[in-house]
Amino acid sequence: MTNNKHVISWIDEMAAMTCPDKIVWIDGSEAQAEELRKEACSTGEMIKLNEELLPNCYLHRTAVNDVARVEGRTFICTPTKEEAGNINNWVEPSEMYGRLKKLFTGSMKGKTMYVIPYSMGVVGSDFAKIGIELTDSIYVVLNMLIMTRVGKKVIDALGDSPDFIKGLHSKADLDEENRYIVHFPQDNTIMSVNSGYGGNVLLGKKCFALRIASYLGRKEGWMAEHMLILGLENPEGETKYICAAFPSACGKTNLAMLIPPEHYRKMGYKVWCVGDDIAWLRVGKDGRLWAVNPENGFFGVAPGTNEHSNPNALATTRRDTIFTNVCHNLDNNTVWWEGLDNNPPKNALNWRGEPWDYTKYDKNDKVGTSGAHPNSRFTAVAKNCPCISPEFDSVTGVPVSAIVFGGRRARTAPLVYQSFNWQHGTFVGSIMASETTAAASGAVGVVRRDPMAMRPFVGYNMGDYWKHWLDMGKVIPNPPKIFHVNWFRTDDKGNFIWPGFGDNMRVLLWILARCENKVEARESAIGYLPYAKDIDTSGLDISDATLEDLLTVDKESWKADIKNIKEFYALVGDRVPGEMYEELDALEKRLG
Ligand code: GTP
Ligand code: SPV
Ligand code: MN
């Protein structure tokens, strides 16, 4: 498909190491995709679902020990440890290449190596970047065909250039002990072995569009962030754009596709989804920050998605979708997950593929007893989303009015607050914390610091990453305002006290009103807080006392947090910019 000697010699080298039986180029055609789906169904790798109810939809199960990203086995291999920093796992590059070579040698014997040329961003646009992923998994090919822009047009856009990200993936033996997700930022190279799960193997996503891209962004003066992008259109037909960074499984897909509460819909408000997971940001000629979504599909969390929480996501998954690790309803050959409806299938296989008895479900042992794995996912075509933004394919992206940080905090963080300025906003991002979720392997529900929702995704030293945020602030003449939200405050019994989902629109309206200087706010120790009267609660079953509680800063828990922030800054180490410590001191003083 190409004469590009850089591409050819690299593929030759990888093939000599992995020894596939044959090499197949993915051209992006529907005919080839269909052949691959048939082949995957013939071997049991995928199951074709009910064509009438779920046209062109498939089910796949990963290995039981391979259901989430593995942060402990993810490495940033810069020449020095200092460049990768203390938050990332690091091994010296030549040592790591040696280890990987052993694992990849002969790993594709008896298999086909697929060559996937893909573009992150609209093919050929100024902001797009090209990758080539070599993989021995048809599941990976079919997911990449949905998640990225793939095929001959990409290889044509690359021409003779050496400027592409090299990605090598092999499922090998799916051996957990030898699972590696490795990035060599200086070599534009990603290597992933012994996994078949989404974020570990769809190399365009977290590996390229966040880890490698964040490294490139620092070098080239732009930013790669773990952010959704949404457009909020008012009744006058003006659309303002918001980017929001929440950690994995903390509500990005839901917010990006929200349906406004009824009275706003009647007034003419609409929300448009530009992206649900990743934003590439750069300064536009007009001095504002502009955002593009480099992806072409959604790799979304299935559990909890339903007709009320996220009707747009559900509609998106009704065709052309690959479901991973959900529950298989054998009566009608469809899929189900916890939180879809109150009607679990009686004749079904769970995410492991075993007969499933829904009456044994125990919410304290979800992984053991649920029909769908808590991190089960759908891979769906962005353009199938009913609220996909008309700007989805825009080559310039969209101008950003507000950046929003947020996480799962049972107490400390209020419903919403605004930072004082860009530097303080960067600080607010740096001290983000959230309860861990099933999106990564390990304990769930433990509060950990997750700066900018990027803890697992920064491709270099976290201190330098904060410095890059500060530097960007200096070159954006008209920067977005920075906010923090928390949809997850709970009462003493652990129930969420904010309704969330579509009602989060009420908070977005306050945020945009602040951006346009249309509403006053009160200054607090942590930033500007809304007056309760300025958050619209009409039609909600929320008492004045609860709203006050949602907007209260509990100084004692903030003081306790300061201690934890200091420990975290110490862990990040001596590259933490002085400005962050100035902000920390100022916060401590304001708390008294
Ligand atoms: P990744 O794809 O892992 O990056 O996750 P995400 O940030 O896109 O999270 P997603 O929108 O898929 O939501 C994850 C979980 O949070 C789902 O179970 C949702 O039902 C739940 N959730 C999302 N928004 C809200 C909200 O406003 N309130 C509450 N209580 N739960 C929410
Ligand atoms: C996340 O974990 O933030 C995801 C899913 O979006 S994965 O692609 O697996 O990283
Ligand atoms: Mn994500």
Side-chain angles (χ1 to χ4, degrees), residues 69 197-199 205-206 226 248 277 299 377 439 457:
R69 283 183 294 101
Y197 166 76
K205 196 173 177 57
K206 298 299 159 81
H226 192 197
S248 302
D277 199 52
F299 187 62
R377 299 258 166 181
F457 307 121

Side-chain angles (χ1 to χ4, degrees), residues 353-431:
E354 307 155 345
W356 180 58
D357 178 354
Y358 72 96
T359 64
K360 303 267 163 63
Y361 177 71
D362 170 4
K363 75 176 192 321
N364 296 317
D365 176 22
K366 286 190 187 162
V367 173
T369 63
S370 62
H373 187 276
N375 191 41
S376 54
R377 299 258 166 181
F378 53 80
T379 315
V381 177
K383 292 224 173 89
N384 285 349
C385 179
C387 66
I388 195 71
S389 166
E391 300 298 321
F392 179 73
D393 277 332
S394 159
V395 294
T396 55
V398 295
V400 184
S401 297
I403 287 176
V404 181
F405 294 123
R408 282 177 192 263
R409 292 305 301 268
R411 293 263 9 119
T412 317
L415 179 62
V416 57
Y417 66 100
Q418 182 187 357
S419 65
F420 297 122
N421 51 48
W422 182 276
Q423 175 172 309
H424 179 241
T426 302
F427 170 73
V428 167
S430 81
I431 65 169

Side-chain angles (χ1 to χ4, degrees), residues 478-498:
N478 189 3
K481 304 271 191 296
I482 302 179
F483 298 80
H484 188 284
V485 299
N486 177 21
W487 316 137
F488 299 93
R489 280 279 270 253
T490 55
D491 62 17
D492 299 339
K493 297 190 195 82
N495 303 309
F496 295 122
I497 57 177
W498 174 249

Side-chain angles (χ1 to χ4, degrees), residues 248-254 277 301 303 377 408 488 496 500-501 504:
S248 302
C250 291
K252 288 182 300 302
T253 302
N254 277 270
D277 199 52
V301 177
R377 299 258 166 181
R408 282 177 192 263
F488 299 93
F496 295 122
F501 302 101
N504 292 331

Side-chain angles (χ1 to χ4, degrees), residues 228-244 252-260 268-276 293 298 310 312 382-393 398-399 505 508 512:
L228 68 92
I229 311 166
L230 68 82
L232 202 161
E233 182 179 336
N234 69 17
E236 289 74 53
E238 295 158 348
T239 305
K240 299 274 193 254
Y241 294 92
I242 298 176
C243 287
K252 288 182 300 302
T253 302
N254 277 270
L255 191 68
M257 297 177 193
L258 80 74
I259 293 189
Y269 281 98
K270 290 186 191 112
V271 167
W272 300 106
C273 174
V274 183
D276 82 324
N293 168 14
F298 308 123
N310 195 345
N312 281 321
K383 292 224 173 89
N384 285 349
C385 179
C387 66
I388 195 71
S389 166
E391 300 298 321
F392 179 73
D393 277 332
V398 295
M505 159 99 174
L508 299 185
L512 287 179

